[in-house]
C-alpha cells in the first residue's frame, strides 16, 4: 500500500515538472545572443601618397563588435648610407649616397613618391696619381695536363690586385703567368712482342718489356701458347701435266713462322705427298681486265700518251688445252696540258716588313707555269700636309701635320706599322685675351611644382652667353638662377574601396578625402550597373549527327562574383539554351606540332631516351568525317651523360693478407656506382717441385716455392704474409759423382739491340744443361754465347734552338698578344720525332684604354678681313677628358676658315689624261695628267690626284707545270719498315719576262716497306 502511494506521488510530480522544463528550454532558445563579427587576415602594407603606410582587412562574417578594418602608420626610412666613389678618378666629378624605405620594404610594388628623397648627390674632386700595386707571385700550382688527364700541360702562378691605378698612375702588369710542364705520361709504352720461339715442349713463347711508365700499363709481359698449325692446304698441281706424277700439300706453323728460325721438331708432319695421274686437256683461263691506269705522256712531259690495263693468269693450259691470250692492253690518251694559265694579280696589301704584297693563282695546271705567284714592292708615302691649328689659344702649345700611304689606302684595311712616321709635331704660340660677355637677366618664370602638380617648387631666370673668354680673359658668371617658391596645396583622397553588389543589381564603391586642397574631386561615391560580358559563341550541338541542344553563356565582368555573394538578377540570365540539328560530315582538325620536349632517359637516369611533341585537337570528327591522327609523337634522343668509371686497377697485396683494387670516376653522371674500392682474399698457386739439393756431395737442403696467383707479385710490392709462406725448406743427401751434361747449341737468334730498340746489339745462341755435376763430377761449360751484330738504324730526333724571349706586347695599352719562337737546327733522321710547335703566343694586357673627349664647338667669330686683306673666322672647343693608355687621341681643338669674299681669282687648269701605258713587270698599266695653271682661288685648289693605275688585263708572267709524275717506289735505309717516296713535275716554259725563270718542283711523302718471312 505504501509503495502504491509513493508511485502515485512520483507520477504527479513528473506531470507538473515536464511542461515547466519544456517552457524554460524554449525560453533559452529564444534568448540566444547574436553572433560576433569575424574578419579576414590583414593585407600587406602599401604606401599612400601622404607618406604613410596602410593595410586593410575585410569582414568574413557580419556581427556585433567588429574591429577596425583599416590601419595606418608613418613610413620608416633608413639612415643615409656612405658616400659612393667619385665618378671621375682624375678631376671634377660627383658622388652619391642613398637610403631606402625600411618599413614597408617594397610599398606593395607601387613607386615611392614622398617628398623625402632616397638619393643625394654632391660634387667631388680627385687628382691623386696612384700607381697600380700588386702582391708577390704565388708558387706555381700543379701541372694541369692540356687534355685534362696526362701529357704536356701548364702550371700557373698568380698575384692579386692590391691597389688599382688612379688618375695617371702606372698601369697594372699581368696578374697571371703560365709555364709549360709535363704531367704523367699519357700512355704506358711497352716494346713490341718478341718473335715467337718454340720450346722443347712444343709450345711457343714471346715476351715484351715496359719502355716508359705511364697510365694504364699492361699487366701481361710474357705469353705462352700452344704451337698453332694451320689446316692442310689444297693439293698442288700434278708434277706431270699429261700422265702419271705426284702432288703434295702442306701446312705450316702459323705463328711464329719457322719457330723463330729453329727447326720444327714436333711429331705432327708439315708436308704430305700422294700419286696423281693427269690426262685432261685444260684451256687457259684469265681474269677480267683491270681499270686503265694513269695516262703516261709519250714525250715524258705533256700532251698525248698511253694508258694500260692488265689481267692475270688464273689457269695455265694443260696437255693439249687452248693457249693463253695477251695479258696487257694499251689505249691512246691525253696527259697534262702543255700550256699553263694564271689569274690576275690581287690588290696590294701591306706586310709587317714595310712592303706591299700581292698574289695570283694558277687557273689551269700545265707546263711552263710562271714561277712568281707572289710579288713585293716598297710602300709609297705621300708628301706632308698643312700644319694644324695651335692646341693652346693662350700661350705655348703644339701643332701637327700628317701624311698617308698613297698606294692601296689603309694597306687593304690593316694598320700601318712601319718606322716611317705618318705624324709630325712642333711647338706654337697664341696670346689673345678676351673677356666673357653675357646678356641681362630675364624675369623670373612661374613657380613650377617639384612633383609637376602642386606643393613646393622652383622659379627660374636666365641670361645668355654673348662672348666666350679666351687667353686670360675674365671667366663667365652663371647663366641660370633658381629661387624656391610654393604652389597651391595638394588635395589627397583615399583609394577606391572594392566594388560590392547591391540588391538592385548595381555595384557600389566609395573613397574619402584625407587632406583638403584646391584640386579635390567632386564625387566620393560611385554607382554603376553590373557589367555583364557579351554572349559567348554557341557551344557544339549535343548530338553531332542529328537533333540536340546547344548553349551559350556570359559572365559578370566587374566585380567578379559580386565580392563573393551569388549573382541573383533574373532580368539578366547568364546562360541560354536552344535546339539544334547537325548532319554535316566534318573532318578532324588538329594544330601544328609543338617543339619536341626535353629528352626523358629510358632508364630514368641518363643515356638514350625519348623526346615527345604534341598537337591539339581543334575539331573532333562529326558524323562520317575523317578520324583524327595521333596527337603525340616520340623520337629517340640522348639525355644527360651517363656516369663512366675507369677499369679496375691491378690487384695489390695489403698487410692484412688481402688483395685490394680500385677504380675512379672518369666522367660524372647520374648513375655512378656507390663503391670504387674492392677487397678479396689473396689466391696462391700450388707448391712447385723440390729444387736440387744445396750440397751435391753430402748433407744439404732443398726448397720448393709457390707464388701469388692473383695478383702476381702483389702489384710490385713484396709479399709479407707469415700465415701463408711462399718458400718451404727440408734437408737432403747426395753422394754420387756425376759429370755435367749439356745439349748441342741452338741456332743463333735474332739481333737484339743493346738499348732495346735499334742500333748495335747482340745475337745469342743457347744450350741446355741436361745433367748438373754431382759431388766431384766435371763442371758445366758456359750455356750462352753472344755474337756482336747490328740491328736497324736508330731514329734520331731533330735538333731545335732554345725558345727566344717573349716579344713586346702587340698593343702598348690594353689587351694584346706576344709571341716567341724557335727553329730547327738539324732535321730528324731514320723516322725520329720532331716537335711541330715552333711558335707560341700568349695574351698580354697593359692598363685600360681611355679615349679623348672634347666639348662642342663655339660659334664662329666675326670676319676680320676685307677683299684687299685676307680675313678669317675662328671657332674652338676644349678637352673635357684627355686620352690615356693609348686611347683615341684628341682631335683638332681650333678651326679657322677664310672669310667669304667677292674678289676675282684664277681657277686651276689641267691637261687631258694620257693614254694607258704598256704593261709593267709588276702587271700594272698607268696614265697621267699635269697642271697647266695653278689656282689662285683659296676655296678651289688644284686636285692632287695626277696619276691613275690599274691591273693589266692579259698579264702572263707565271710558271706552268706538267702534272705530277707517279710516286716512285718506297726507298728505305733498312730492308723493311718506314721509308720515303718521291714525285716531281717540270715547267713547260723555263724563261719568263723581266728575267724570271721557272724551276723544277719535287714532293716527298712517307711510305712503308712491308717485311716478309719473319
Amino acid at each position: 500500500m505504501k509503495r502504491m502511494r509513493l508511485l502515485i506521488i512520483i507520477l504527479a510530480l513528473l506531470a507538473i515538472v515536464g511542461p515547466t522544463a519544456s517552457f524554460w528550454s524554449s525560453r533559452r532558445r529564444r534568448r540566444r545572443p547574436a553572433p560576433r563579427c569575424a574578419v579576414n587576415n590583414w593585407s600587406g602594407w602599401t604606401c599612400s601618397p601622404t607618406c604613410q603606410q596602410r593595410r586593410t582587412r575585410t569582414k568574413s562574417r557580419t556581427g556585433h563588435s567588429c574591429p577596425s578594418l583599416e590601419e595606418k602608420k608613418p613610413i620608416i626610412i633608413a639612415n643615409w648610407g656612405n658616400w659612393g666613389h667619385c665618378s671621375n678618378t682624375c678631376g671634377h666629378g660627383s658622388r652619391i649616397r642613398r637610403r631606402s624605405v625600411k618599413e614597408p620594404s617594397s610599398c606593395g610594388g607601387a613607386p615611392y613618391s614622398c617628398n623625402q628623397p632616397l638619393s643625394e648627390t654632391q660634387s667631388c674632386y680627385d687628382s691623386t696619381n696612384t700607381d697600380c700595386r700588386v702582391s708577390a707571385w704565388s708558387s706555381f700550382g700543379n701541372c694541369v695536363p692540356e687534355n685534362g688527364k696526362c701529357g704536356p700541360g701548364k702550371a700557373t702562378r698568380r698575384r692579386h690586385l692590391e691597389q688599382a691605378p688612379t688618375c695617371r698612375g702606372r698601369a697594372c702588369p699581368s696578374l697571371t703567368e703560365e709555364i709549360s710542364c709535363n704531367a704523367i705520361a699519357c700512355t704506358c709504352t711497352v716494346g713490341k712482342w718478341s718473335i715467337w720461339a718454340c720450346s722443347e715442349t712444343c709450345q711457343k713463347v714471346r715476351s715484351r718489356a715496359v719502355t716508359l711508365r705511364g697510365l694504364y700499363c699492361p699487366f701481361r709481359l710474357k705469353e705462352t701458347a700452344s704451337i698453332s698449325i694451320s689446316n692442310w692446304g689444297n693439293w698442288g698441281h700434278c708434277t706431270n701435266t699429261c700422265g702419271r706424277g705426284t702432288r703434295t700439300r702442306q701446312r705450316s706453323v702459323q705463328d711464329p713462322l719457322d719457330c723463330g728460325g729453329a727447326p720444327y721438331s714436333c711429331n705432327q708432319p708439315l708436308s704430305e705427298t700422294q700419286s696423281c695421274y693427269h690426262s685432261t686437256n685444260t684451256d687457259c683461263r684469265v681474269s677480267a681486265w683491270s681499270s686503265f691506269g694513269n695516262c703516261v705522256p709519250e714525250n715524258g712531259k705533256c700532251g698525248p700518251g698511253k694508258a694500260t690495263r692488265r689481267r692475270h693468269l688464273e689457269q695455265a693450259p694443260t696437255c693439249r688445252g687452248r693457249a693463253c691470250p695477251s695479258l696487257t692492253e694499251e689505249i691512246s690518251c691525253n696527259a697534262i696540258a702543255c700550256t699553263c694559265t694564271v689569274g690576275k694579280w690581287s690588290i696590294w696589301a701591306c706586310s709587317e716588313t714595310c712592303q706591299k704584297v700581292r698574289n695570283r693563282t694558277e687557273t689551269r695546271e700545265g707546263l711552263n707555269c710562271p714561277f712568281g705567284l707572289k710579288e713585293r714592292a716598297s710602300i709609297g708615302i705621300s708628301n706632308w700636309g698643312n700644319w694644324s691649328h695651335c692646341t693652346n689659344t693662350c700661350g705655348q702649345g703644339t701643332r701637327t701635320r700628317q701624311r698617308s700611304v698613297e698606294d692601296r689606302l689603309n694597306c687593304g684595311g690593316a694598320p700601318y706599322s712601319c718606322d716611317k712616321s705618318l705624324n709630325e709635331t712642333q711647338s706654337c704660340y697664341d696670346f689673345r685675351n678676351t673677356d666673357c660677355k653675357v646678356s641681362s637677366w630675364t624675369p623670373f618664370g612661374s613657380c613650377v611644382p617639384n612633383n609637376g602638380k602642386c606643393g613646393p617648387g622652383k622659379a627660374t631666370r636666365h641670361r645668355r652667353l654673348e662672348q666666350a673668354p679666351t687667353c686670360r680673359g675674365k671667366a663667365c658668371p652663371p647663366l641660370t638662377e633658381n629661387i624656391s617658391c610654393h604652389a597651391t596645396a595638394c588635395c589627397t583622397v583615399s583609394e577606391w574601396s572594392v566594388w560590392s553588389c547591391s540588391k538592385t543589381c548595381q555595384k557600389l564603391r566609395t573613397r574619402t578625402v584625407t587632406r583638403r586642397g584646391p584640386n579635390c574631386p567632386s564625387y566620393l561615391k560611385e554607382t554603376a550597373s553590373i557589367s555583364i560580358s557579351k554572349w559567348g559563341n554557341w557551344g557544339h550541338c549535343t548530338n553531332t549527327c542529328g537533333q540536340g541542344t546547344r548553349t551559350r553563356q556570359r559572365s559578370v565582368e566587374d566585380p567578379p562574383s559580386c565580392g563573393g555573394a551569388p549573382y541573383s538578377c533574373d532580368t539578366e540570365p547568364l546562360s541560354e539554351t536552344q535546339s539544334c540539328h547537325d548532319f554535316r560530315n566534318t573532318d578532324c582538325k588538329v594544330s601544328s606540332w609543338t617543339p619536341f620536349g626535353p629528352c626523358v632517359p629510358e632508364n630514368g637516369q641518363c643515356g638514350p631516351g625519348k623526346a615527345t611533341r604534341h598537337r591539339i585537337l581543334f575539331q573532333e570528327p562529326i558524323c562520317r568525317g575523317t578520324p583524327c591522327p595521333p596527337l603525340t609523337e616520340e623520337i629517340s634522343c640522348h639525355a644527360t651523360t651517363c656516369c663512366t668509371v675507369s677499369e679496375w686497377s691491378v690487384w695489390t697485396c695489403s698487410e692484412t693478407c688481402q688483395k685490394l683494387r680500385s677504380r675512379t670516376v672518369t666522367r660524372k653522371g647520374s648513375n655512378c656506382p656507390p663503391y670504387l674500392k674492392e677487397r678479396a682474399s689473396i689466391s696462391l698457386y700450388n707448391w712447385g717441385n723440390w729444387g736440387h739439393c744445396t750440397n751435391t756431395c753430402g748433407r744439404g737442403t732443398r726448397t720448393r716455392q709457390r707464388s701469388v696467383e692473383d695478383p702476381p707479385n702483389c702489384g710490385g710490392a713484396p709479399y709479407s704474409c707469415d700465415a701463408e709462406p711462399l718458400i718451404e725448406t727440408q734437408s737432403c743427401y747426395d753422394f754420387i759423382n756425376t759429370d755435367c751434361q749439356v745439349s748441342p747449341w741452338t741456332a743463333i737468334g735474332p739481333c737484339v739491340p743493346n738499348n732495346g730498340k735499334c742500333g748495335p746489339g747482340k745475337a745469342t745462341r743457347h744450350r741446355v744443361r741436361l745433367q748438373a755435376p754431382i759431388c766431384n763430377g766435371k763442371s758445366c761449360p758456359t750455356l750462352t754465347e753472344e755474337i756482336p751484330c747490328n740491328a736497324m738504324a736508330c731514329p734520331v730526333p731533330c735538333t731545335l734552338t732554345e725558345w727566344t724571349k717573349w716579344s713586346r706586347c702587340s698593343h702598348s695599352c690594353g689587351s694584346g698578344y706576344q709571341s716567341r719562337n724557335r727553329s730547327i737546327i738539324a732535321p730528324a733522321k731514320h723516322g725520329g720525332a720532331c716537335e711541330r710547335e715552333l711558335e707560341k703566343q700568349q695574351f698580354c694586357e697593359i692598363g685600360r684604354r681611355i679615349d679623348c673627349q672634347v666639348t662642342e664647338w663655339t660659334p664662329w667669330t666675326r670676319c676680320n678681313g676685307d677683299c684687299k686683306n685676307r680675313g678669317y673666322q675662328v671657332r674652338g672647343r676644349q678637352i673635357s677628358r684627355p686620352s690615356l693608355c693609348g686611347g683615341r687621341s684628341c682631335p683638332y681643338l681650333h678651326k679657322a676658315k677664310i672669310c667669304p669674299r667677292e674678289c676675282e681669282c684664277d681657277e686651276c687648269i689641267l691637261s687631258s689624261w694620257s693614254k694607258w701605258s704598256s704593261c709593267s713587270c709588276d702587271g700594272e698599266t698607268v696614265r697621267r695628267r699635269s697642271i697647266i695653271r695653278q689656282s689662285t682661288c683659296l676655296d678651289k685648289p688644284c686636285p692632287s690626284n695626277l696619276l691613275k693605275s690599274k691591273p693589266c688585263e692579259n698579264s702572263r708572267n707565271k710558271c706552268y707545270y706538267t702534272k705530277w709524275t707517279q710516286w716512285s717506289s718506297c726507298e728505305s735505309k733498312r730492308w723493311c719498315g718506314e721509308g720515303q717516296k718521291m714525285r716531281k713535275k717540270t715547267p713547260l716554259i723555263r724563261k719568263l719576262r723581266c728575267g724570271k725563270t721557272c724551276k723544277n718542283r719535287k714532293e716527298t711523302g712517307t711510305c712503308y716497306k712491308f717485311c716478309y718471312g719473319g
Side-chain angles (χ1 to χ4, degrees):
M1 194 66 180
K2 289 181 179 179
R3 291 181 179 176
M4 286 295 294
R5 289 178 182 174
L6 181 60
L7 181 60
I8 292 170
I9 294 170
I10 292 172
L11 292 175
L13 291 174
L14 290 174
I16 298 171
V17 172
T20 307
S22 62
F23 170 77
W24 286 110
S25 175
S26 63
R27 286 291 300 271
R28 279 195 299 270
R29 284 198 296 271
R30 286 195 297 269
R31 291 181 181 179
R32 184 174 296 168
R36 292 181 62 84
C37 176
V39 294
N40 295 320
N41 293 331
W42 285 107
S43 65
W45 287 103
T46 59
C47 296
S48 68
T50 58
C51 292
Q52 288 186 320
Q53 48 181 326
R54 171 179 172 267
R55 65 177 181 176
T56 59
R57 57 184 175 182
T58 57
K59 295 179 182 179
S60 61
R61 184 178 66 203
T62 306
H64 67 88
S65 303
C66 277
S68 174
L69 300 179
E70 184 177 25
E71 187 176 359
K72 294 181 179 180
K73 63 179 180 179
I75 293 174
I76 300 174
I77 299 176
N79 295 329
W80 285 107
N82 295 327
W83 286 104
H85 294 292
C86 197
S87 60
N88 191 351
T89 58
C90 187
H92 286 285
S94 60
R95 61 179 183 174
I96 301 174
R97 64 175 182 176
R98 304 178 188 277
R99 59 182 177 181
S100 60
V101 177
K102 194 172 183 181
E103 185 181 340
S105 59
S106 62
C107 292
Y112 175 79
S113 59
C114 279
N115 56 7
Q116 300 183 34
L118 299 181
S119 65
E120 190 175 18
T121 304
Q122 71 172 196
S123 61
C124 57
Y125 185 83
D126 195 342
S127 62
T128 306
N129 296 327
T130 305
D131 294 337
C132 177
R133 190 172 69 252
V134 296
S135 67
W137 285 109
S138 66
S139 301
F140 279 103
N142 295 331
C143 189
V144 179
E146 294 176 356
N147 63 3
K149 294 181 180 179
C150 54
K154 298 286 185 182
T156 307
R157 67 175 182 176
R158 293 178 172 82
R159 52 185 173 187
H160 60 268
L161 180 65
E162 294 181 344
Q163 172 64 54
T166 60
C167 219
R168 297 178 181 83
R170 187 180 305 133
C172 291
S174 174
L175 299 179
T176 305
E177 183 180 0
E178 287 185 346
I179 58 171
S180 299
C181 58
N182 279 314
I184 186 171
C186 286
T187 306
C188 177
T189 306
V190 295
K192 293 184 179 179
W193 286 106
S194 64
I195 299 174
W196 284 105
C198 293
S199 67
E200 297 175 358
T201 59
C202 288
Q203 284 189 321
K204 56 184 180 182
V205 181
R206 64 176 182 177
S207 61
R208 58 181 176 178
V210 176
T211 58
L212 176 67
R213 289 283 174 186
L215 297 180
Y216 315 122
C217 276
F219 179 74
R220 192 161 48 89
L221 299 177
K222 191 171 185 179
E223 191 173 27
T224 305
S226 300
I227 294 177
S228 177
I229 301 177
S230 65
N231 294 327
W232 285 107
N234 295 326
W235 288 103
H237 295 292
C238 199
T239 55
N240 192 350
T241 59
C242 194
R244 185 180 298 278
T246 59
R247 63 178 182 177
T248 60
R249 65 176 180 178
Q250 293 180 338
R251 59 182 177 181
S252 61
V253 178
Q254 289 182 333
D255 190 11
L257 296 177
D258 298 328
C259 295
Y264 175 79
S265 58
C266 277
N267 56 6
Q268 300 183 31
L270 300 181
S271 179
E272 189 177 22
T273 305
Q274 69 175 198
S275 62
C276 60
Y277 186 83
H278 203 306
S279 62
T280 307
N281 297 328
T282 305
D283 295 335
C284 176
R285 188 172 72 252
V286 295
S287 66
W289 286 108
S290 66
S291 301
F292 279 102
N294 294 331
C295 189
V296 179
E298 294 176 356
N299 62 3
K301 295 182 179 180
C302 59
K306 297 288 185 180
T308 307
R309 66 175 180 175
R310 292 176 173 80
R311 56 185 172 185
H312 61 269
L313 180 64
E314 293 182 343
Q315 172 65 54
T318 61
C319 273
R320 297 176 184 83
R322 188 182 303 145
C324 293
S326 174
L327 299 179
T328 306
E329 183 182 5
E330 287 185 348
I331 59 170
S332 298
C333 59
N334 281 313
I336 186 172
C338 289
T339 305
C340 174
T341 59
V342 294
K344 293 183 179 181
W345 285 105
S346 64
I347 297 174
W348 286 105
C350 293
S351 69
E352 296 178 355
T353 58
C354 293
Q355 287 185 320
K356 57 184 182 182
V357 183
R358 61 178 182 176
N359 304 298
R360 57 181 176 179
T361 56
E362 292 183 10
T363 57
R364 186 182 70 183
E365 276 195 322
L367 297 183
N368 303 321
C369 280
F371 184 72
L373 299 179
K374 196 169 191 178
E375 191 173 19
R376 298 176 181 271
S378 298
I379 296 173
I381 301 176
S382 67
N383 295 328
W384 287 108
N386 295 327
W387 288 105
S388 66
H389 295 290
C390 196
T391 57
N392 193 349
T393 58
C394 185
Q396 184 170 1
T398 58
R399 61 177 183 174
T400 60
R401 64 176 181 177
Q402 296 178 333
R403 58 181 176 180
S404 61
V405 178
E406 280 186 336
D407 191 4
R408 305 298 182 265
L409 292 178
N410 296 327
C411 297
Y416 174 82
S417 58
C418 279
D419 55 359
K420 296 180 180 180
S421 175
L422 300 181
N423 297 286
E424 189 176 21
T425 305
Q426 69 174 200
S427 59
C428 57
Y429 297 88
D430 197 338
F431 292 102
R432 289 169 295 171
N433 297 327
T434 306
D435 294 337
C436 176
K437 293 181 181 179
V438 296
S439 66
S440 302
W441 287 109
T442 62
F444 279 104
S446 57
C447 188
V448 178
N450 294 334
N451 60 4
K453 296 179 180 179
C454 55
K458 300 282 186 182
T460 308
R461 66 175 181 176
H462 306 273
R463 54 184 171 187
R464 68 178 185 278
L465 177 65
E466 294 182 344
Q467 172 63 52
T470 61
C471 213
R472 297 181 181 85
K474 190 183 299 179
C476 293
L479 300 179
T480 305
E481 185 179 8
N482 293 327
I483 60 171
S484 298
C485 58
H486 201 281
T488 56
C490 296
C491 174
T492 58
V493 294
S494 66
E495 299 290 333
W496 284 107
S497 65
V498 180
W499 285 105
S500 61
C501 293
S502 67
K503 296 181 180 180
T504 57
C505 291
Q506 285 187 320
K507 58 183 180 181
L508 172 68
R509 65 177 180 177
T510 59
R511 60 180 175 180
T512 58
V513 174
T514 57
R515 186 175 66 189
R516 293 289 179 182
N519 58 340
C520 285
S522 58
Y523 56 93
L524 299 175
K525 181 184 274 190
E526 190 174 25
T527 305
S529 300
I530 294 175
S531 178
I532 300 175
S533 66
K534 294 183 179 180
W535 285 108
N537 295 327
W538 286 103
H540 295 293
C541 197
T542 56
N543 192 348
T544 57
C545 193
Q547 184 169 0
T549 58
R550 61 178 183 177
T551 59
R552 63 177 182 178
Q553 294 181 337
R554 57 183 178 181
S555 60
V556 178
E557 287 184 337
D558 188 17
S561 303
C562 296
Y567 176 80
S568 59
C569 251
D570 298 334
T571 57
E572 296 290 341
L574 300 181
S575 179
E576 190 176 19
T577 304
Q578 68 173 199
S579 62
C580 59
H581 298 270
D582 199 340
F583 294 99
R584 291 170 298 170
N585 296 329
T586 304
D587 295 336
C588 177
K589 293 181 181 179
V590 294
S591 66
S592 301
W593 287 108
T594 62
F596 280 103
C599 190
V600 179
E602 294 177 355
N603 61 5
Q605 295 178 349
C606 60
K610 298 288 185 181
T612 309
R613 65 176 182 177
H614 306 274
R615 51 185 171 190
I616 301 170
L617 178 65
F618 286 161
Q619 173 65 57
E620 292 184 347
I622 301 174
C623 272
R624 298 176 182 85
T626 303
C628 292
L631 300 180
T632 304
E633 182 181 19
E634 289 184 345
I635 60 170
S636 297
C637 60
H638 201 276
T640 56
T641 304
C642 288
C643 176
T644 60
V645 294
S646 64
E647 296 293 331
W648 285 105
S649 64
V650 178
W651 285 103
T652 59
C653 295
S654 68
E655 297 178 355
T656 58
C657 292
Q658 286 187 319
K659 58 183 179 181
L660 172 68
R661 65 177 179 176
S662 62
R663 57 182 175 180
T664 58
V665 176
T666 58
R667 182 176 64 190
K668 291 186 177 180
S670 56
N671 60 341
C672 285
Y675 58 92
L676 298 175
K677 285 187 178 181
E678 189 175 25
R679 294 178 182 271
S681 299
I682 296 174
S683 176
L684 302 177
Y685 283 108
N686 293 329
W687 286 107
N689 296 325
W690 286 105
H692 294 291
C693 197
T694 56
N695 192 350
T696 57
C697 190
R699 182 186 295 273
T701 59
R702 62 176 181 175
T703 60
R704 65 175 180 177
Q705 295 181 340
R706 60 181 175 180
S707 60
V708 179
E709 182 179 0
D710 185 15
N713 300 326
C714 295
Y719 176 81
S720 59
C721 239
D722 298 334
E724 296 287 342
L726 300 181
I727 299 176
E728 191 176 20
T729 305
Q730 68 175 198
S731 61
C732 58
Y733 297 88
D734 200 339
F735 293 101
I736 304 172
N737 295 328
T738 306
D739 294 336
C740 175
Q741 296 180 8
V742 295
S743 68
W745 287 108
T746 63
I748 297 175
C751 188
V752 179
N754 294 332
N755 62 1
K757 297 181 179 178
C758 56
K762 292 184 178 180
T764 308
R765 67 176 182 173
H766 306 272
R767 54 185 171 185
V768 181
R769 185 176 62 185
L770 302 178
Q771 173 65 54
I774 302 175
C775 247
N776 299 316
K778 189 184 297 180
S779 60
C780 291
T782 180
L783 300 178
T784 304
E785 185 179 13
E786 291 183 343
I787 302 171
C789 60
N790 195 22
M792 64 181 71
C794 288
V796 179
C798 66
T799 305
L800 302 174
T801 62
E802 295 294 329
W803 286 104
T804 61
K805 293 182 179 179
W806 287 106
S807 64
R808 289 185 178 180
C809 196
S810 59
H811 291 77
S812 59
C813 200
S815 296
Y817 67 91
Q818 55 185 169
S819 62
R820 63 176 181 177
N821 54 55
R822 58 181 175 181
S823 59
I824 298 175
I825 299 175
K829 296 180 180 180
H830 311 305
C834 191
E835 295 187 29
R836 297 183 178 179
E837 189 177 18
L838 299 178
E839 184 177 4
K840 286 185 178 180
Q841 288 187 344
Q842 68 178 12
F843 289 100
C844 53
E845 186 170 354
I846 303 175
R848 185 171 66 92
R849 175 179 176 145
I850 300 175
D851 296 334
C852 175
Q853 293 183 3
V854 296
T855 62
E856 295 294 328
W857 289 106
T858 61
W860 288 102
T861 61
R862 291 185 178 181
C863 184
N864 62 354
D866 53 18
C867 183
K868 293 180 180 179
N869 299 311
R870 294 185 179 181
Y872 60 91
Q873 292 175 285
V874 181
R875 67 173 178 177
R877 55 184 173 183
Q878 296 179 344
I879 297 174
S880 58
R881 185 172 71 180
S883 64
L884 293 175
C885 197
R888 190 184 302 116
S889 58
C890 293
Y892 298 136
L893 299 178
H894 298 277
K895 281 188 179 180
K897 66 179 180 179
I898 304 299
C899 299
R901 57 178 181 160
E902 298 179 357
C903 301
E904 296 181 356
C905 62
D906 296 326
E907 295 184 353
C908 180
I909 299 177
L910 299 171
S911 67
S912 300
W913 286 103
S914 65
K915 294 183 178 180
W916 289 102
S917 67
S918 59
C919 191
S920 67
C921 291
D922 297 334
E924 282 190 338
T925 178
V926 298
R927 65 175 181 176
R928 295 177 172 82
R929 61 179 176 179
S930 59
I931 298 173
I932 299 174
R933 184 181 69 190
Q934 287 285 355
S935 172
T936 60
C937 301
L938 298 176
D939 56 343
K940 294 181 181 179
C942 286
S944 59
N945 185 14
L946 301 177
L947 176 69
K948 284 186 178 181
S949 64
K950 67 177 182 180
C952 301
E953 295 181 356
N954 297 314
S955 174
R956 296 186 178 180
N957 204 22
K958 177 183 176 182
C959 292
Y960 294 89
Y961 291 85
T962 63
K963 288 187 177 179
W964 288 106
T965 62
Q966 297 290 329
W967 286 105
S968 66
S969 60
C970 191
E971 297 292 333
S972 176
K973 294 185 178 180
R974 301 187 297 274
W975 66 278
C976 65
E978 186 174 289
Q980 284 192 334
K981 57 183 179 179
M982 184 186 70
R983 64 177 181 175
K984 63 181 179 179
K985 59 181 178 180
T986 57
L988 296 174
I989 300 174
R990 290 198 177 271
K991 291 185 178 181
L992 306 177
R993 292 187 293 108
C994 303
K996 293 185 178 180
T997 58
C998 299
K999 297 181 181 180
N1000 294 336
R1001 291 188 179 179
K1002 291 184 180 180
E1003 187 179 52
T1004 60
T1006 303
C1007 59
Y1008 193 88
K1009 193 172 183 180
F1010 291 98
C1011 304
Y1012 299 94

